[in-house]
Amino acid sequence: MADTANVTQARNDTDHENLGELPEWDLRDLYPAPDSPELKDDLERARYLARSFREDYEGRLDEIDGGSLGVAVERYEALQEQLGRIMSYAQLVYSGDMSNPEVGKLYQWLQETVTAISTDLVFFTLELNSISEEALERKLEDERLARYRPWLRDIRALRPHQLSDELERMLHEKHVTGRAAWVRLFDETMAGLRFPLDGEELTSSEILNKLTGHDPATRKAAAKSFGKVLGDNARTFALVHNTLAKDKEIEDTWRGFTRPVSERNLQNRVEDEVVDALVKAVTDSYPNLAHRYYKLKARWFGVDKLPYWDRNAPLPEDDDRIIPWHQARQTVLGAYGEFSSTLAEVGQRFFDRPWIDAPTRAGKAPGAFAHPTVPSAHPYLLLNYQGRSRDVMTLAHELGHGVHQVLAGGQGHLMADTPLTLAETASVFGEMLTFQAMLRAEKDPKRRKVMLAGKVEDMLNTVVRQIAFHMFETRLHDERREGEVMASRIGEIWMETQRESLGPVFEFDEEYQYYWAYIPHFIHVPFYVYAYAFGDCLVNSLYAVYENAPEGFVERYLEMLQAGGTKRHRELLAPFGLDASDPAFWHKGLDVISRMIDELEAFD
């Protein structure tokens, strides 16, 4: 055992060297520096233009003709894009070093300044929603306004839940000292935490990476250290969760949403019953998917019960190879290129230009994301690349987001963004392309088993685990309506949903009850998490269509990405013969995972 530990430590010491040179982003495409004249000038220009816009249009939208309203929307879009560029810069600088007080001060100042400027724009969508359907249809006869029909459709979907102009303006102005302040507290608390392990003080990204390593003693020590530090800070995290859940309940009540998830569903342009069908399909499949797979994994490990820190442990026959950055890049771009030269060409830009920030470092935001910024600029990707196979999949995932964002940029700032349910399509599809390419290239049966198991685990994390997160979030918000939920009770809800989803094969030690505290989606975007399962099942169904009828698929797929937010899920999926409102749709996607588990069972 000592020899194994020494080998593992020696491997860990050289991991960063083996990764090769990792890229770091250059934010000067947005602004030269936080104190640059360009940033200051854009703030002043936006302030002036927002005031002028309000003076020109407030109280007049109902009376102006369609062409003039089209000009107004164009001016509004240009203003929102300028403010979006500023806040994208602020967010990216902050994500690069959340522990730096000066960076935090800059982020807060820009948030407050942009919020104050955009207050002059709040009236616009409120007045658009006050125009009658008949009057708006007459105005839409003008081509200049008609271009924005999809955006107007989505804005007006919020009409039943719109408050008075004064209340909407107040909520907008108070956001920076309300929800946004609590989100910042969460982010800075997580970024500042250090987790002791073997004489080192690790960030959350670094210690979570240890849970995918080969040494069981290291996995256990890392898991317990992570849980202990989260537990030491549980009161703070519970306060953040309780405050934001209550804040959401208050606003939901005023807006007339009866269920905590309904507001997110409306924002996602998906019906409550569609999401309910997804959740039911996944929860009904817990035994056939997660329970069955993890029982199989326990058998591979030669045990009856798996400790929770072995959930993402590599298989015994996995050689734990470190994948250097250049190989990860080649793998992902190669897989994209086999499918579509367009996808590969757009993806190549991210590597040729400083659009990716890959190294782990103290203070940097954990996890990974793709930030779209604005159509007049380009997306940026944040990773914490540590050379695992899952890191390659994460690169494929985030690059899919980035490519999607570039392709949709032609729709303009107001219509480029897709709802969360469809935003995961290109990312998960990129993962599937990469996995299938790697699997085809691998001839060793043992390595193929390892790869297939890794993909199944990723899919379970994306589908089963995220729906379990959704169930946790739902129960927490429901209980919060009856009063504040203590940290101990939050832990109980967490353990209930984890046991239900992962199955009886797992053993959970006491510290695992605090693992809810580090999940950022609960804080940043309440009820985001089901979108991952939505996207994974959707992509599984899409990929099955591609395998069975590849002719013309690539062109239809690219058209879907280029549509951005102009179409809803029914319109986007119709060319592929798919319908997410059909309950059977979800089972098609889940069957893909089930068949992979069948294949793994055949290895025994």
Side-chain angles (χ1 to χ4, degrees):
M1 181 62 72
D3 290 342
T4 302
N6 289 336
V7 170
T8 301
Q9 183 59 50
R11 185 193 300 118
N12 290 339
D13 290 341
T14 58
D15 278 357
H16 288 288
E17 296 177 14
N18 294 337
L19 295 179
E21 186 176 354
L22 298 178
E24 297 186 28
W25 59 30
D26 185 340
L27 303 181
R28 287 179 294 181
D29 285 354
L30 296 174
Y31 290 101
D35 58 353
S36 64
E38 290 87 344
L39 178 56
K40 181 179 178 181
D41 289 347
D42 271 6
L43 284 168
E44 289 306 312
R45 186 180 302 110
R47 194 189 314 275
Y48 169 76
L49 292 174
R51 288 173 180 169
S52 299
F53 183 82
R54 184 174 181 179
E55 290 170 1
D56 290 345
Y57 292 111
E58 188 172 26
R60 296 189 53 231
L61 298 190
D62 199 29
E63 65 189 45
I64 61 178
D65 62 26
S68 299
L69 187 55
V71 171
V73 177
E74 290 170 1
R75 287 177 59 181
Y76 177 80
E77 180 174 43
L79 264 166
Q80 291 288 7
E81 179 156 358
Q82 189 168 344
L83 294 173
R85 176 184 285 263
I86 294 167
M87 281 313 303
S88 291
Y89 180 70
Q91 181 64 61
L92 292 170
V93 170
Y94 180 61
S95 297
D97 189 358
M98 291 179 168
S99 61
N100 186 329
E102 290 299 319
V103 171
K105 180 180 178 181
L106 170 73
Y107 180 60
Q108 184 68 16
W109 173 67
L110 286 174
Q111 268 198 320
E112 292 175 2
T113 304
V114 167
T115 298
I117 293 170
S118 59
T119 299
D120 281 328
L121 305 178
V122 171
F123 80 92
F124 190 62
T125 54
L126 302 179
E127 283 196 28
L128 283 174
N129 282 348
S130 69
I131 300 173
S132 70
E133 291 292 343
E134 296 79 7
L136 184 61
E137 282 302 319
R138 288 194 297 271
K139 295 177 191 291
L140 281 165
E141 292 173 4
D142 189 284
E143 291 183 2
R144 198 159 192 173
L145 181 63
R147 177 180 176 274
Y148 293 98
R149 182 183 285 274
W151 178 72
L152 291 167
R153 171 203 64 197
D154 294 337
I155 287 295
R156 288 171 73 82
L158 301 171
R159 289 178 76 191
H161 307 283
Q162 186 171 294
L163 305 177
S164 69
D165 292 7
E166 291 78 11
L167 280 175
E168 293 287 358
R169 189 171 292 117
M170 183 194 70
L171 288 173
H172 178 79
E173 290 191 41
K174 283 181 64 65
H175 175 76
V176 71
T177 57
R179 165 167 285 280
W182 288 97
V183 171
R184 180 184 171 191
L185 173 62
F186 171 84
D187 286 341
E188 293 188 2
T189 301
M190 275 303 305
L193 293 183
R194 292 297 177 267
F195 304 88
L197 184 69
D198 297 334
E200 293 185 272
E201 296 290 320
L202 304 182
T203 65
S204 60
S205 292
E206 289 171 330
I207 200 161
L208 286 170
N209 186 55
K210 300 295 183 182
L211 297 181
T212 64
H214 255 288
D215 182 35
T218 299
R219 291 197 301 269
K220 178 178 180 179
K224 287 188 166 291
S225 176
F226 190 63
K228 181 183 184 306
V229 174
L230 291 179
D232 291 343
N233 292 271
R235 288 186 64 187
T236 298
F237 289 124
L239 177 60
V240 172
H241 275 262
N242 272 282
T243 302
L244 291 179
K246 185 62 178 179
D247 179 78
K248 177 172 172 53
E249 180 200 345
I250 292 169
E251 188 164 334
D252 281 354
T253 300
W254 276 82
R255 294 191 182 280
F257 291 110
T258 56
R259 297 171 59 189
V261 72
S262 295
E263 186 268 342
R264 177 62 51 211
N265 293 346
L266 184 61
Q267 295 284 353
N268 285 345
R269 273 86 91 181
V270 62
E271 301 79 9
D272 283 2
E273 55 268 24
V274 171
V275 176
D276 291 344
L278 163 66
V279 172
K280 186 176 189 306
V282 175
T283 53
D284 286 350
S285 298
Y286 282 171
N288 184 47
L289 300 180
H291 298 189
R292 182 162 64 110
Y293 171 77
Y294 290 120
K295 184 178 180 181
L296 184 63
K297 185 170 186 176
R299 189 159 75 244
W300 292 334
F301 275 64
V303 296
D304 294 325
K305 293 280 190 177
L306 278 174
Y308 75 86
W309 51 80
D310 283 348
R311 183 173 58 83
N312 287 323
L315 300 192
E317 53 265 64
D318 191 341
D319 60 10
D320 198 28
R321 66 180 67 172
I322 293 297
I323 302 169
W325 177 256
H326 71 86
Q327 185 179 336
R329 164 182 172 162
Q330 182 180 359
T331 298
V332 174
L333 286 179
Y336 276 41
E338 286 182 29
F339 175 75
S340 162
S341 59
T342 300
L343 284 190
E345 185 276 322
V346 177
Q348 184 74 47
R349 298 180 205 171
F350 287 80
F351 297 95
D352 292 345
R353 302 167 192 179
W355 296 1
I356 303 176
D357 195 84
T360 61
R361 58 178 177 267
K364 180 179 176 180
F369 64 70
H371 193 304
T373 72
V374 291
S376 59
H378 57 78
Y380 284 93
L381 309 186
L382 180 142
L383 307 170
N384 281 276
Y385 188 82
Q386 298 179 76
R388 305 287 186 187
S389 295
R390 282 189 172 90
D391 292 322
V392 179
M393 291 296 109
T394 298
L395 172 60
H397 182 102
E398 300 305 338
L399 188 66
H401 278 306
V403 169
H404 191 180
Q405 290 157 359
V406 170
L407 292 176
Q411 298 294 345
H413 184 69
L414 294 182
M415 296 184 292
D417 283 350
T418 57
L420 297 179
T421 43
L422 298 171
E424 294 300 330
T425 303
S427 54
V428 178
F429 199 84
E431 283 190 70
M432 180 64 82
L433 291 173
T434 302
F435 169 73
Q436 293 292 349
M438 293 171 69
L439 191 65
R440 286 194 299 272
E442 184 57 66
K443 304 305 179 186
D444 181 356
K446 288 185 178 180
R447 284 294 308 163
R448 287 178 63 85
K449 174 186 173 182
V450 168
M451 292 176 64
L452 192 62
K455 182 58 178 174
V456 167
E457 291 190 16
D458 286 343
M459 296 171 88
L460 293 177
N461 284 337
T462 304
V463 178
V464 171
R465 187 163 167 79
Q466 298 299 329
I467 291 301
F469 285 175
H470 172 80
M471 298 304 296
F472 164 80
E473 203 170 6
T474 299
R475 293 177 192 178
L476 176 58
H477 280 255
D478 286 345
E479 288 202 19
R480 181 63 182 91
R481 295 189 172 199
E482 304 302 319
E484 184 165 306
V485 186
M486 302 296 287
S488 58
R489 176 55 189 155
I490 298 177
E492 290 173 0
I493 299 171
W494 172 258
M495 296 301 289
E496 290 166 6
T497 55
Q498 291 296 292
R499 288 192 175 99
E500 289 166 5
S501 60
L502 297 177
V505 76
F506 278 101
E507 290 182 328
F508 299 100
D509 286 0
E510 183 179 359
E511 70 279 348
Y512 190 69
Q513 67 180 298
Y514 300 113
Y515 271 56
W516 53 269
Y518 86 97
I519 309 297
H521 295 87
F522 299 152
I523 305 300
H524 293 163
V525 188
F527 294 94
Y528 183 120
V529 289
Y530 76 75
Y532 287 109
F534 193 112
D536 199 281
C537 289
L538 188 156
V539 164
N540 288 344
S541 298
L542 267 181
Y543 199 83
V545 172
Y546 170 55
E547 288 184 310
N548 293 328
E551 187 174 351
F553 182 93
V554 172
E555 291 74 18
R556 283 177 284 157
Y557 179 76
L558 292 176
E559 288 174 4
M560 179 175 68
L561 300 189
Q562 290 164 345
T566 62
K567 296 181 179 179
R568 295 188 173 178
H569 63 86
R570 281 192 175 88
E571 300 170 274
L572 290 171
L573 294 177
F576 303 96
L578 299 172
D579 181 4
S581 64
D582 180 359
F585 171 84
W586 303 113
H587 290 285
K588 290 179 184 177
L590 296 172
D591 284 346
V592 172
I593 308 175
S594 182
R595 288 195 298 272
M596 287 185 176
I597 299 173
D598 292 342
E599 190 174 345
L600 283 170
E601 287 178 330
F603 276 98
D604 283 12

